[in-house]
Amino acid sequence: MSTTLFNLQRDHITHLAHAYADIMAHQGFDSLAIYSGHASVHFADDHTPTFQTYGHFMHWAGLADVQHSWLIIQPDERPQLYLYAPADFWHLPTRLPEEPWVTAFDVHLCSNKITPQLTGRAAIIGDIASLTLNTQQANSVDKQPTALINALDELRMFKTPYEIACLREANRLAMAGHQATQAAFIGASSELDIQLAYLAASRQRESAVPYQNIIGLNDHAGVLHYQHYDLNSPKQRFSLLVDAGRRYRGYCADITRTYAGPDAPAEFGELVTAMHGLKDELVKAVAPEVSFLELHEQMHHHLGKILVAHDLFKGTVEQAVAEGVTRAFCPHGLGHSLGLQVHDVAGLRHPDGTPSPAPESHPALRLTRTLRPGMVVTIEPGLYFINMLLAPLRNTSLPINWKLVDQLSPCGGIRIEDNVVVTESGFANLTP
Ligand code: GLY
Ligand code: MN
Ligand code: MN
């Protein structure tokens, strides 16, 4: 760990200690138990799916795979970490990293699964549904108190310099993977081989990715969350869309790139270039006090311009937006908050925790906040040829250039996604 990151992490822990003390005092809690969570076995089996530690646990201890463990926070006392570390010859014993958070905590290695001892007015948060808890010492115990969780979620919305450094490093590592996918595409690899090239270059095993990488060749690029990897390469290569990430100390990168292949119509390559330009323009618009919803609407206006400029729509930009044409070409939101979770918490709430849902006209938007310094968001405009969404428009008089749509459909679609931090004066793009 570099000296800089070491100092930043120490400051991050101090910041959390103060913020938790304020939140708990405000809400009248003397102690808080955060459960890491644990993986459950597949039905009638003894194997578990991959697991991700609860975000509020990771916020303190940046380990994404801790299970059956507890973190106890009591203001004015050192955090207590009860780390499940069974004496077990089947697995490598739990080892702690040499990082500042470890020395800031009292660490108890537990050979058994324990129940935390809580005092005073206590709260427990985390995935505790399957646990039998013995919390007799506490005067009262609130399980999953909404107001407390909302306040802790709100805290996570604003990243400390340590968290931003981790997100930047996650981006750097992910980008090495993305470069390898481009090379693999040029080498006519299959989706599976492109995925393997990504994992190798970004130095991670598949179970460690923050979300299932989307590797879509040709029309698969138009399946928003395409979930397979074809083993064979297609005969023709129109396009490749790669939406792939990386964790670093729990923090996630979420990057998308799209490439035109040798068999794509020239118009597709021009559209990819235009979408890079749109992404850059939207990144530059990120600044304090900007409404993310307005930025999303700006994306639709620019998409309208691209549809008109590239002859996909023969009406006006205003008509393309007003008649829902841009929404048929891009059904998802402009982006979301990013942090310990890829779709991070509190995106659809006001700062006081009350709901701020996506408007009916843009139901897939995951972030309706006004941007403030410290927030980290994705900017991911897209343009797709999705038959299910475009088919209803074919029976209308809307001046869509169906001939060109049909020519471009085998290319699937385009998404370009960067990760951006809101700074005091504007933005910093974390994606190299
Ligand atoms: N990779 C999921 C997303 O972009 O939101
Ligand atoms: Mn993504
Ligand atoms: Mn994203």
Side-chain angles (χ1 to χ4, degrees), residues 211 243 254 336 343 380 417:
Y211 58 92
D243 183 345
D254 176 13
H336 48 85
H343 298 153
E380 48 182 303
E417 177 175 25

Side-chain angles (χ1 to χ4, degrees), residues 121-201:
R121 194 178 155 211
I124 299 183
I125 62 172
D127 186 5
I128 52 170
S130 64
L131 303 184
T132 312
L133 294 171
N134 170 11
T135 50
Q136 292 157 339
Q137 288 182 335
N139 300 335
S140 64
V141 179
D142 271 358
K143 292 184 184 148
Q144 324 286 13
T146 307
L148 178 67
I149 293 173
N150 284 351
L152 298 181
D153 286 353
E154 185 64 16
L155 182 63
R156 269 175 51 198
M157 178 60 93
F158 297 89
K159 274 67 183 179
T160 60
Y162 168 72
E163 295 180 285
I164 291 166
C166 290
L167 287 161
R168 196 185 286 281
E169 180 62 8
N171 264 261
R172 191 185 69 78
L173 293 162
M175 194 41 87
H178 277 274
Q179 284 169 344
T181 67
Q182 189 179 12
F185 182 46
I186 291 168
S189 296
S190 69
E191 290 171 350
L192 179 68
D193 289 318
I194 294 170
Q195 158 77 340
L196 295 175
Y198 179 87
L199 294 174

Side-chain angles (χ1 to χ4, degrees), residues 150-415:
N150 284 351
L152 298 181
D153 286 353
E154 185 64 16
L155 182 63
R156 269 175 51 198
M157 178 60 93
F158 297 89
K159 274 67 183 179
T160 60
Y162 168 72
E163 295 180 285
I164 291 166
C166 290
L167 287 161
R168 196 185 286 281
E169 180 62 8
N171 264 261
R172 191 185 69 78
L173 293 162
M175 194 41 87
H178 277 274
Q179 284 169 344
T181 67
Q182 189 179 12
F185 182 46
I186 291 168
S189 296
S190 69
E191 290 171 350
L192 179 68
D193 289 318
I194 294 170
Q195 158 77 340
L196 295 175
Y198 179 87
L199 294 174
S202 58
R203 309 304 296 150
Q204 58 184 327
R205 58 193 287 178
E206 189 170 15
S207 59
V209 295
Y211 58 92
Q212 293 305 308
N213 291 339
I214 299 163
I215 313 272
L217 284 167
N218 298 347
D219 56 330
H220 294 160
V223 181
L224 297 182
H225 284 169
Y226 174 63
Q227 72 277 41
H228 303 294
Y229 304 120
D230 270 356
L231 270 55
N232 301 311
S233 356
K235 286 199 174 64
Q236 287 183 294
R237 284 176 298 133
F238 298 109
S239 60
L240 169 67
L241 184 149
V242 177
D243 183 345
R246 176 71 156 82
R247 270 188 200 279
Y248 182 73
R249 293 169 195 268
Y251 291 89
C252 306
D254 176 13
I255 301 173
T256 310
R257 291 292 180 263
T258 308
Y259 309 99
D263 301 310
E267 288 87 346
F268 185 72
E270 290 159 15
L271 280 171
V272 172
T273 304
M275 291 301 288
H276 270 279
L278 172 51
K279 181 269 293 175
D280 288 340
E281 217 162 307
L282 293 166
V283 167
K284 280 188 215 143
V286 167
E289 305 309 321
V290 168
S291 145
F292 202 76
L293 176 56
E294 279 173 28
L295 211 54
H296 171 85
E297 285 168 346
Q298 214 172 308
M299 170 183 81
H300 276 279
H301 184 77
H302 284 286
L303 279 174
K305 285 209 254 183
I306 288 174
L307 292 177
V308 170
H310 292 260
D311 202 33
L312 278 161
F313 189 70
K314 292 173 180 292
T316 64
V317 172
E318 290 68 27
Q319 188 188 10
V321 176
E323 304 273 357
V325 176
T326 56
R327 272 182 286 151
F329 280 99
C330 181
H332 61 67
L334 168 63
H336 48 85
S337 181
L338 182 73
L340 291 163
Q341 290 166 219
V342 174
H343 298 153
D344 213 6
V345 286
L348 297 175
R349 291 199 209 124
H350 293 293
D352 67 0
T354 54
S356 172
E360 260 175 49
S361 49
H362 299 285
L365 190 60
R366 294 180 196 272
L367 181 63
T368 53
R369 304 281 301 244
T370 299
L371 298 180
R372 305 256 187 256
M375 289 182 176
V376 175
V377 299
T378 66
I379 296 292
E380 48 182 303
L383 195 164
Y384 312 87
F385 305 97
I386 302 173
N387 191 42
M388 192 191 296
L389 301 178
L390 292 173
L393 302 185
R394 288 197 192 250
N395 305 323
T396 68
S397 58
L398 286 165
I400 296 171
N401 183 347
W402 292 112
K403 191 164 166 239
L404 186 54
V405 168
D406 293 339
Q407 276 170 12
L408 292 170
S409 288
C411 302
I414 304 165
R415 179 164 64 257

Side-chain angles (χ1 to χ4, degrees), residues 84-103:
Y84 181 54
D88 170 7
F89 54 80
W90 296 101
H91 302 100
L92 193 69
T94 306
R95 272 202 213 116
L96 286 168
E98 288 178 20
E99 293 182 22
W101 70 262
V102 176
T103 50

